[in-house]
């Protein structure tokens, strides 16, 4: 077991806080419409090209009766990373914004934290100071805001935030910043008998709060970094579960295939990612027999979303690091790299 | 995290080895037919009575349109203990027999173990001596036979054993010793839109080997005691997972609701068990709103199966302990106790 208690990559976390734009202003935000998938499965938001063709070819090979690479329906498993693959991860993971936004409520419940670091700095709203918090301080914030409450209380709080907080660039709820073409891939695969799973470095309980409504992925098909819970009883004898600061699964890098085995117990036939954190999942998927589909989303669209990574000759960011080594491996192993700029007609459902 | 590395309850393990009948004689056994569920969902093996009625009433309340307790299909989760609830657990858990049967192969691969305890004693076949092995010695056997190999190798070995080993009383493969009435409950629930899960103290990977074929429960719906795996590469670069002696989930007692949250993320509407190890799962299920079904299988049929537990005034055995306290709680909370003798027309599919 890894020692990182937060389940979030340490370097990515530093980077995300370093570019922190602003707390999202929960109090000012208005309730949002959930992004409910609709329409029959199609790939309408994809331009014709190698990437779209790879998806269609894979589905044909694995589902058409008589195909030499036919896969029985019960074995059709597809796994999706979330941050940067299914929704915007830049400039900071939404879940980290959630944790920072939760600090005032945590301090209100436990007022002696008001003048204790790192809570004091977060409360100050001083972005520069927040960006300089040390890792142990950031982990204190994650532990204080994600654990120590009942599962039901956590779900209620996260749900409240998700319907009110807004991304500062698009002025929309985070759950609207999902990539419409990737949602169509999920729907297309499900329409062809695949079970679609999240396999995310983000918190399993956090993603489960909205995965069904936003992506059509039920909670039991969300694999993520997971802390343990502790069973206990309230004073009236009612049993309940408390979220504990004890990491069971660090669902990133090698932890992804390990998490897939733990939670699914089958090797996926298709896997989608966007960073070095997804490399082992794609390797594990590709090592299976028959037709397999491995795809990487490349962020090369500075205008409609963001551009970062090797293909643009840009320096790697720590968030969603897509290294040259991964790019080379993808080429060598014939994984498909998706260009957001070239392959996607639109990025978001709200795009024209 | 609990310190028990094996994932098998220590006291139960002592008890199971203490009553060890004989190694199952893998070499002499012949391949068996798998027990494939067939026929449309019905409760044909149930006598009319309170238990059968409770099942039918629950399904009606949760699935009939217009019912005030209607449950949307995606929320219909039912969880089943395995040992003693779905198949025979007496006088020894099948998985422990598997581990003991595996010792010769482990020693063959690592000959220096031949004269090392506890392997030497197991190889001797001396039942009395085997029953006296200490717990640390037994854990060494479990670790040696369940970990340290690739997931693929484990699956192949377990599968081979399951198709050849036989229970000494019935002279049949262990996978035929499943309770036909309980299989019918699973099928009946699935036929009414429920997802059926195992939530077992047994090894998750072990149960997954046969759960689909024997019970119609796919691997991803098996929650069990789970060790971690470690991702790595073979010399040719192929990635693979190795089973590690590191317990992630001790899926017994309080570990059952904790495991349900980790792996499913929803509270079940129905839960089935047979022992104190299932108490917390039934409590957690019963604490939800709306119609909930909690059932306990009582082993009171010495002729057709075994009799143990409080209702017969028999001393509790360590395996499948069903204490008076659990019996009292079941009465108080209106959980349904199933009498194998009175409620079941037949125990096994092969019964007349």
């Amino acid at each position: 077991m890894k020692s990182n208690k937060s389940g979030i990559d340490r370097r990515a976390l530093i980077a995300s806080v370093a570019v922190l734009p602003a707390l999202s202003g929960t109090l000012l935000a208005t309730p949002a419409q959930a992004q409910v998938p609709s329409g029959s499965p199609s790939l309408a938001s994809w331009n014709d090209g190698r990437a779209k063709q790879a998806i269609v070819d894979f589905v044909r090979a694995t589902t058409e009766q008589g195909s030499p690479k036919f896969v029985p329906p019960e074995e059709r498993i597809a796994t999706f990373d979330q941050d940067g693959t299914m929704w915007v991860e830049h400039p900071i993971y939404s879940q980290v914004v959630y944790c920072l936004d939760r600090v005032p409520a945590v301090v209100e419940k436990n007022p002696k934290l008001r003048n204790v670091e790192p809570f004091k700095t977060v409360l100050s709203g001083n972005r520069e100071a927040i960006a300089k918090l040390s890792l142990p301080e950031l982990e204190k914030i994650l532990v204080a805001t994600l654990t120590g409450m009942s599962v039901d209380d956590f779900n209620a709080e996260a749900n409240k935030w998700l319907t009110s907080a807004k991304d500062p660039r698009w002025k929309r709820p985070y759950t609207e910043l999902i990539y419409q073409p990737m949602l169509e891939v999920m729907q297309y695969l499900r329409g062809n008998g695949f079970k679609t799973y999240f396999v995310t470095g983000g918190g399993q309980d956090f993603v489960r709060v909205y995965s069904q409504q936003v992506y059509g992925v039920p909670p039991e098909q969300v694999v993520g970094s997971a802390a343990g819970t502790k069973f206990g009883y309230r004073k009236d004898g009612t049993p309940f579960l408390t979220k504990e600061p004890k990491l069971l699964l660090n669902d990133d890098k090698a932890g992804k295939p390990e998490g897939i085995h733990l939670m699914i117990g089958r090797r996926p036939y298709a896997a989608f990612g966007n960073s070095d954190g997804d490399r082992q999942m794609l390797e594990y998927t590709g090592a299976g027999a028959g037709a397999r589909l491995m795809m990487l989303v490349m962020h090369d669209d500075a205008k409609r979303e963001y551009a970062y990574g090797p293909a643009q000759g840009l320096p790697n960011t720590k968030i969603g690091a897509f290294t040259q080594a991964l790019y080379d491996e993808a080429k060598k192993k014939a994984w498909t790299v998706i260009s957001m700029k070239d392959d996607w007609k639109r990025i978001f459902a709200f795009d024209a």
Side-chain angles (χ1 to χ4, degrees), chain A:
Chain A
M1 182 159 308
K2 286 138 190 139
S3 60
N4 180 348
K5 282 187 184 163
S6 65
I8 292 177
D9 183 82
R10 283 165 176 260
R11 285 163 305 170
L13 193 57
I14 287 184
S16 71
V17 173
V19 291
L20 183 66
L23 300 189
S24 65
T26 311
L27 293 171
L28 296 173
T30 53
Q33 294 302 311
Q35 183 72 25
V36 181
S38 67
S40 63
S42 78
L43 298 171
S45 299
W46 288 75
N47 289 315
D48 291 332
R50 283 198 326 114
K52 181 179 175 181
Q53 197 60 48
I55 300 164
V56 173
D57 289 347
F58 166 78
V59 167
R60 240 177 231 156
T62 53
T63 64
E64 282 187 1
Q65 289 289 347
S67 162
K69 295 182 174 175
F70 180 82
V71 175
E74 66 272 18
E75 292 179 21
R76 293 179 196 163
I77 303 282
T79 55
F80 293 80
D81 170 55
Q82 186 189 216
D83 294 305
T85 299
M86 293 301 300
W87 75 352
V88 175
E89 67 184 350
H90 254 264
I92 180 169
Y93 296 129
S94 304
Q95 190 178 357
V96 175
V97 182
Y98 170 74
C99 292
L100 293 169
D101 279 358
R102 281 291 299 154
V103 166
V106 166
V107 170
E108 195 171 336
K109 274 205 173 175
N110 190 356
K112 70 181 181 202
L113 293 178
R114 188 174 303 278
N115 293 307
V116 173
E117 290 298 355
F119 305 97
K120 189 177 168 185
T121 294
V122 176
L123 289 173
S124 76
N126 181 331
R127 286 157 54 184
E128 210 170 316
I130 293 171
K132 283 180 184 158
L133 289 176
S134 71
L135 258 182
E137 286 175 318
L138 284 169
E139 289 198 350
K140 273 185 199 164
I141 291 166
L142 298 184
V143 167
T145 54
L146 297 175
T147 71
M149 75 281 290
S150 76
V151 164
D152 291 341
D153 287 349
F154 171 79
N155 288 347
E157 287 301 336
N159 195 53
K160 198 167 74 177
W161 183 84
L162 285 158
T163 55
S164 59
K166 292 195 175 183
D167 172 88
R169 173 169 166 189
W170 282 278
K171 323 279 188 230
R172 286 175 181 271
Y174 294 95
T175 49
E176 288 189 17
L177 301 184
I178 62 174
Y179 305 139
Q180 178 61 21
M182 293 304 294
L183 184 61
E184 291 170 5
V185 173
M186 273 192 166
Q187 292 166 336
Y188 179 62
L189 287 170
R190 288 199 291 265
N192 283 283
F194 282 83
K195 266 190 184 174
T196 54
Y197 281 81
F198 274 117
V199 177
T200 171
Q204 182 167 281
D205 283 348
F206 186 77
V207 179
R208 280 173 167 171
V209 172
Y210 55 88
S211 62
Q212 174 76 55
Q213 199 179 11
V214 173
Y215 298 104
V217 174
E220 61 268 27
Q221 286 166 220
V222 174
V223 180
S225 293
T229 56
K230 191 172 167 60
F231 179 86
Y233 301 92
R234 297 191 197 283
K235 279 178 191 164
D236 68 356
T238 309
F240 74 109
L241 295 170
T242 302
K243 287 172 66 71
E244 296 276 288
K246 176 183 71 175
L247 189 68
L248 289 183
L249 175 63
N250 185 354
D251 196 46
D252 195 31
K253 301 187 174 71
K256 291 208 174 195
E258 293 163 5
I260 288 169
H261 179 71
L262 176 68
M263 306 280 291
I264 310 176
R266 303 185 194 259
R267 191 193 301 267
Y269 274 84
F272 302 82
N274 79 305
S275 81
D276 284 33
D278 303 308
R279 182 167 67 87
Q280 290 86 344
M281 174 169 74
L282 269 63
E283 289 173 344
Y284 181 65
T285 301
R292 306 275 167 169
L293 179 65
M294 283 68 66
M295 302 192 88
L296 286 168
V297 173
M298 185 170 65
H299 293 260
D300 58 357
D301 195 330
K303 191 163 163 252
R304 295 189 298 174
E305 203 243 12
Y306 293 101
Y308 49 100
Q312 295 74 42
L314 297 176
N316 262 303
T317 58
K318 291 298 183 184
I319 284 212
F322 184 156
T323 60
Q324 188 64 46
L326 180 66
Y327 194 76
D328 293 344
E329 182 172 352
K331 274 180 87 169
K332 190 179 151 200
K333 296 186 172 170
W335 298 348
T336 304
V337 175
I338 298 163
S339 162
M340 293 179 79
K341 186 153 58 84
D342 297 333
D343 286 314
W344 290 355
K345 278 188 190 147
R346 54 178 184 168
I347 308 281
F348 305 112
F350 55 79
D351 283 345

